[in-house]
Amino acid sequence: MKRKTIGGRLINAYIVHGLFALAVVLFAFMAMNSPVISVGEKRYSLLGALTENGVMIKCRQEMINNSYLTVYGFDAMKWFAILLPVVCALPALYIYESIDDNTRNFLLIRMSKTRYCLLQFMAAFVTGFSVVVCGVMLYALVAYALLPGFGESPLAGGLAEYYGKTPWERFLFLARKVSDTAVAGGFMACFTLILYHVVHDRFLTITTPMMLMYISDKLYVLHDKKRFENYDFMTGPEPDRICFLFPSNIGNMHYMLQTECGVSYGWYFAGMAGLLLLAFIIYRKIYDRVMG
């Protein structure tokens, strides 16, 4: 194995693993359970519309139900943010844990410990990131195959003012939402490596982030409820920068940065790059302490 190909082969080992494919399917299944389809006064998920007799035919007749808006709401499932850490981290953790001592020693002979940790960290990030991107793509294929396109909707004119007038503009609008979720998914996979060396238990490593997201979601619901109970009906609620302290808002960062802070979406990537750097430094130190 040549040194210059070690990183690529390591990342490839993560991506081609069967658990990665399973995670992509699970992500798409989560998205298909998002209630984004309207039929009369009821709301259905794409999966619900497919499994109930006659619902899919009716949903195609409602002008608000088109493929673009359905895909855009991929994270609308109630437990989406809570389950996301599990789906993104499971393949990365399993493959990371399966590396035996012989393979680890073989790699460490050919590179420094810092480089080895960096490759593992990068492989975990790419895995979590790719789970989200591939999962959304799979969901989009199903949605575009079953529902009418954006241009066919009678509301296309009004929707174009918000989502973009051209397909490219609408793609970029959707890409911002997918990208912040994907970056968060990659970060969660990296955080799993740190947690694994702290708790030394696979079950706790997987479930702890899920519980943290659950607590975050409940706290934000209480915070948001209090915020809207006290806002001025004339001017609306004040910008709420505290919302960024709740990791369960990962799918709305592209929107919150503009509406709550009035700053470019690029700041999200700058902030996440800083968090990833900090996480790598912590992971490197913990690895050194645990593995010697």
Side-chain angles (χ1 to χ4, degrees), residues 256-273:
M256 290 179 172
L257 278 167
Q258 181 178 358
T259 58
E260 309 294 348
C261 294
V263 298
S264 168
Y265 179 56
W267 284 105
Y268 173 74
F269 291 102
M272 289 304 297

Side-chain angles (χ1 to χ4, degrees), residues 13-15 17-27 30 82-98 123-125 127-129 131-132 184-193 195-196 201-210:
Y14 277 74
I15 296 298
H17 198 279
L19 267 179
F20 173 79
L22 176 61
V24 170
V25 173
L26 288 175
F27 184 96
M30 287 165 50
I82 298 169
L83 295 176
L84 184 65
V86 178
V87 174
C88 290
L90 185 60
L93 174 63
Y94 182 87
I95 298 165
Y96 181 78
E97 190 185 31
S98 67
F125 178 83
T127 302
F129 186 96
V131 165
V132 175
F187 178 82
M188 290 170 186
C190 293
F191 178 70
T192 298
L193 303 189
L195 196 58
Y196 175 70
D201 183 89
R202 186 192 298 180
F203 178 77
L204 287 176
T205 301
I206 287 293
T207 56
T208 298
M210 182 176 69

Side-chain angles (χ1 to χ4, degrees), residues 24 27 128-138 178-179 182:
V24 170
F27 184 96
F129 186 96
S130 301
V131 165
V132 175
V133 174
C134 295
V136 172
M137 290 175 63
L138 180 58
V178 175
S179 62

